[in-house]
């Protein structure tokens, strides 16, 4: 039988202050009310800064590659960005419980039933951190070449070391430093990407028709690409709201966090759409660079690096909490070393083994079959509880209300499997094409697995009440 979780965190009050450039001592243990601080505006800068990443430029360009016109692709970018309301709302439970998202999801799946998704989420977090690290490293390598430092393996290794150091240092310090860095880096990146938009947008072919009729397949693929980013955040929003005071307005949390993600993702997504109507974006960095004045190109490469780092910071930080959820008996600061080491090893492989990045991206894209349904169950559970949890029971193992049947919640797992079955049947990826894709005209409906799983959970749980009293 599982025992109540232990924490290896020091208990001295002087060590429990969440301050900038001071190693955070809290992990997944509940944050006491006396140590909570901050406000809703902090979430705007967190989600705004972390989404000022070149990935959205690539995604916007892909929407055009799928056959959509400028305005069609722009509509996909804007509508997809509205999903940040769900991401931001998922953080409301962090205020009520003072703990991380993957601890709270034990209420939906049970302590043991939550474990497989925790493992896969850690893999996804590290996978995307590797991808961002590689993108940032390659941009820095080109920057070095343009300023006369040459190229080769040594320069690439130097670029990798700098990119990893920038990411690891911030994530290692912890919550307060992460929020501080995201805010101040957002100021710089917003100015730079704003200039990029001014250079790229005027030349966009807004009146040109789509290259080919996109059909249901083109529309669905464009939505999958644009929504994959926000969906990948669902297992982490409470990681960044758990320090907020309980009196913080839940409505303000939802709106400020959502607006942060919407503004940055829409701006960069539209930039990608505009660029794709003017040039070949097969190599998105090179294609975008070709549309810029010569003096701005080094700054553009710095923007690509900075955006990669801001996004990697939050995924690497959350991965350390994820390891604690999986039972690693270390403090958050020590656990993050594991994630950083795996990220470094994966980045080395991606940079020096040419086929690794493509294989990794294909694998990560396939995992949406799991995480779309997982998000549907988690959000449905949160809505049905109205964010009311027994915070102690989330950490109590077999002694708590969320142990259910031998650590598994049958309703949550049944709903998850139902959503996964739907997603697998309608998925169209490089590694797997579901049998319903062809009958549906090539449409990829993977993301609707979240709706299927959420409705299945509601149908099952309303007949099987398994809720703890409000905390």
């Amino acid at each position: 039988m599982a025992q109540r979780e232990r924490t290896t965190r020091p208990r001295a009050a002087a060590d429990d202050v969440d301050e900038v450039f001071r190693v955070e001592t809290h992990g997944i243990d509940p944050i006491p009310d006396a140590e909570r601080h901050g406000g809703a505006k902090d979430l705007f800068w967190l989600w705004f800064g972390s989404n000022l990443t070149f990935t959205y430029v690539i995604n916007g360009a892909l929407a055009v590659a799928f056959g959509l016109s400028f305005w069609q692709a722009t509509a996909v970018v804007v509508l997809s960005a509205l999903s940040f309301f769900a991401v931001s709302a998922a953080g409301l439970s962090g205020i009520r419980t003072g703990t991380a998202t993957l601890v709270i999801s034990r209420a939906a799946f049970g302590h043991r039933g939550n474990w497989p998704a925790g493992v896969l989420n850690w893999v996804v977090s590290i996978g995307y951190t590797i991808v961002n690290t590689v993108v940032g490293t390659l941009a820095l390598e080109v920057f070095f070449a343009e300023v006369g430092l040459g190229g080769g393996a040594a320069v690439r290794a130097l670029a990798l070391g700098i990119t990893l150091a920038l990411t690891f240092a911030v994530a290692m310090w912890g919550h307060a430093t992460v929020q501080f860095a995201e805010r101040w880096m957002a100021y710089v990146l917003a100015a730079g990407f704003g200039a990029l938009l001014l250079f790229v947008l005027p030349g966009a072919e807004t009146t040109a028709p789509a290259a080919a009729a996109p059909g249901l397949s083109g529309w669905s693929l464009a939505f999958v690409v644009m929504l994959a980013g926000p969906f990948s955040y669902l297992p982490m929003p409470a990681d960044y709201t758990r320090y907020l005071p309980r009196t913080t307005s839940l409505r303000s949390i939802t709106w400020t966090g959502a607006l942060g993600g919407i503004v940055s993702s829409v701006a960069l997504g539209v930039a990608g759409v505009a660029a794709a109507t003017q040039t070949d974006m097969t190599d998105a960095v090179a294609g975008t660079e070709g549309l810029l004045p010569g003096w701005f190109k080094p700054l553009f490469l710095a923007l690509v690096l900075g955006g990669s780092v801001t996004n990697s910071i939050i995924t690497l930080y959350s991965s350390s909490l994820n390891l604690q959820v999986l039972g690693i008996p270390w403090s958050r600061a020590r656990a993050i070393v594991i994630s950083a080491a795996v990220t470094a090893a994966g980045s080395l492989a991606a940079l020096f083994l040419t086929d690794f990045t493509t294989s990794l991206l294909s694998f990560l894209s396939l995992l949406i079959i799991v995480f779309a349904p997982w998000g549907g169950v988690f959000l449905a559970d949160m809505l049905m509880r109205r964010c009311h949890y027994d915070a102690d029971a989330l950490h109590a193992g077999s002694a708590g209300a969320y142990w259910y049947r031998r650590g598994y919640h049958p309703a949550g797992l049944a709903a998850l499997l139902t959503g996964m079955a739907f997603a697998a049947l309608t998925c169209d990826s490089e590694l797997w094409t579901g049998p319903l894709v062809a009958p549906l005209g090539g449409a990829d409906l993977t993301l609707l697995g979240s709706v299927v799983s959420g409705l299945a959970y509601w149908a099952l749980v309303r007949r099987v009440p398994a809720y703890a009293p409000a905390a």
Side-chain angles (χ1 to χ4, degrees), residues 130-145:
I130 290 171
V131 171
N132 277 319
T133 299
V134 169
V135 171
T137 297
L138 293 176
L140 186 55
E141 181 184 14
V142 174
F143 176 83
F144 284 156

Side-chain angles (χ1 to χ4, degrees), residues 18-35:
D18 184 42
E19 293 182 346
V20 177
F21 303 131
R22 182 173 181 175
V23 176
E24 178 191 7
T25 56
H26 283 294
I28 62 172
D29 52 303
I31 307 300
D33 288 346
E35 297 175 34

Side-chain angles (χ1 to χ4, degrees), residues 27-30 93-94 97-105 235-240 242 318 321-322 325 378 394-395:
I28 62 172
D29 52 303
S93 53
T97 63
T99 192
T101 305
L102 282 170
V103 174
I104 300 166
S105 61
M236 63 177 73
D239 301 1
Y240 304 100
R242 70 195 206 281
S318 286
L321 298 176
N322 197 155
V325 173
F378 174 72
L394 290 171
H395 300 269

Side-chain angles (χ1 to χ4, degrees), residues 292-385:
L292 304 174
W295 64 267
F296 189 74
K297 291 180 181 179
L299 296 177
F300 166 67
L301 294 171
L303 290 175
V304 175
L305 170 63
S308 298
V309 169
T310 59
N311 195 262
S312 292
I313 285 171
I314 67 166
T315 55
L316 188 61
Y317 173 80
S318 286
S319 75
S320 64
L321 298 176
N322 197 155
L323 286 174
Q324 288 191 314
V325 173
L326 295 176
I328 299 296
W330 289 357
S331 66
R332 181 209 60 83
R334 291 180 62 193
I336 204 171
V337 175
I338 299 175
S339 295
V342 176
T343 298
S347 299
L348 284 169
L351 289 165
F352 295 99
L353 299 175
T354 55
D355 62 342
F356 181 84
T357 303
T358 300
S359 299
L360 178 61
L361 283 170
S362 298
F363 172 69
L364 292 173
S365 66
L366 190 62
L367 288 182
I368 196 70
I369 291 175
V370 177
F371 282 102
W374 182 94
V377 174
F378 174 72
L379 290 174
D381 180 77
M382 188 187 75
L383 288 172
M384 294 174 74
R385 296 178 189 276

Side-chain angles (χ1 to χ4, degrees), residues 168-180:
F168 176 72
V170 175
M172 178 72 173
W173 270 313
H175 175 265
T177 310
V178 167
Q179 289 198 317
F180 174 84

